[in-house]
Amino acid sequence: MLISAPSSIMAKGHPFLDVGERYDKAIEFLFRSKVVKGISANEFGVYQNIKRGDAAVILAEVLELETVNAPDAGFKDVNSRNRGHVNALVHAGIIKGFSKTEFAPDKYLTRG
């Protein structure tokens, strides 16, 4: 007996079952570029919130910014995982902090 999966599942370039057609191409690009992983083997977490620090890492990676030698932006609240990414984005004029010393990497982004 031959069992076939729907072609939309077979055509996906990622293993995530919670990604619908609306986000499919974007998530496929990020996944194949090894910029993002899911929250499990087959769940991306499309409807979960994202923190500013995590978004900075993703954005800097997609833009292929120089994160190792980026000038220090002066934020005291960024950690070693996102510091270079935040610094690179600030240097490129793409993002700002909440103040000269606070980026707030653990605050969630809004759609605005």
Side-chain angles (χ1 to χ4, degrees):
M1 173 181 238
L2 178 63
I3 299 174
S4 65
S7 61
S8 62
I9 292 174
M10 298 281 288
K12 287 185 182 247
H14 57 75
F16 309 121
L17 302 176
D18 63 332
V19 176
E21 187 176 327
R22 181 175 184 182
Y23 303 111
D24 194 49
K25 287 183 180 181
I27 300 303
E28 178 180 349
F29 170 78
L30 294 171
F31 180 74
R32 286 186 178 217
S33 299
K34 298 183 179 178
V35 173
V36 298
K37 298 177 184 175
I39 59 174
S40 73
N42 39 11
E43 183 180 8
F44 181 74
V46 172
Y47 296 104
Q48 291 190 0
N49 296 323
I50 187 167
K51 294 180 180 181
R52 289 172 49 88
D54 296 330
V57 171
I58 292 169
L59 189 54
E61 290 293 322
V62 167
L63 295 173
E64 298 179 347
L65 298 179
E66 169 54 55
T67 61
V68 175
N69 298 311
D72 190 323
F75 300 124
K76 305 296 182 203
D77 60 348
V78 291
N79 62 38
S80 61
R81 180 183 159 272
N82 57 32
R83 178 175 289 112
H85 297 85
V86 170
N87 289 341
L89 289 166
V90 169
H91 181 69
I94 296 171
I95 61 170
K96 297 179 182 178
F98 280 90
S99 72
K100 289 185 178 185
T101 60
E102 180 187 20
F103 178 71
D106 292 326
K107 286 194 177 193
Y108 289 106
L109 288 176
T110 63
R111 289 179 61 90

